[in-house]
Amino acid sequence: MRFGVCCDKEKFSTVKNAGYDYVELCIGSLAQITEEQFKELKASLNNFNLKAEAFNGFFPSNMAIVGENRLSDSQIAEYAKKGLSRAAKIG
């Protein structure tokens, strides 16, 4: 059996030292960080020999995707494309 944990990059050292097999990252975070931060995240995964095998949190709670004040279809599509593309690039 393999074990993973939901975390951000600041916890990678603790996760690795605790013996987890993989991490689960938040797509919402992937879609909202800068390209430089994304490169740092990928490097950190490599440094700790961790893989992101699962993802959660597709849309953050503060992102309106339904209702009167929702984002436009194109904004939602762009956000989803960025998040999924980055998830694919790291695992």
Side-chain angles (χ1 to χ4, degrees), residues 19-87:
Y20 285 95
D21 300 302
Y22 65 92
V23 296
E24 182 171 334
L25 300 177
C26 177
I27 292 228
S29 296
L30 290 179
Q32 295 177 341
I33 59 177
T34 66
E35 189 60 32
E36 184 62 33
Q37 290 169 318
F38 179 65
K39 288 177 184 176
E40 290 171 9
L41 174 69
K42 284 176 51 177
S44 189
L45 284 167
N46 288 334
N47 289 341
F48 288 106
N49 197 28
L50 286 168
K51 293 190 182 216
E53 295 184 11
F55 297 88
N56 62 45
F58 195 86
F59 290 107
S61 61
N62 65 347
M63 180 179 282
I65 59 171
V66 297
E68 192 174 301
N69 297 319
R70 72 185 284 280
L71 296 174
S72 70
D73 289 345
S74 62
Q75 289 171 308
I76 293 169
E78 183 60 32
Y79 165 87
K81 181 180 176 182
K82 186 175 185 180
L84 291 171
S85 171
R86 286 180 169 178

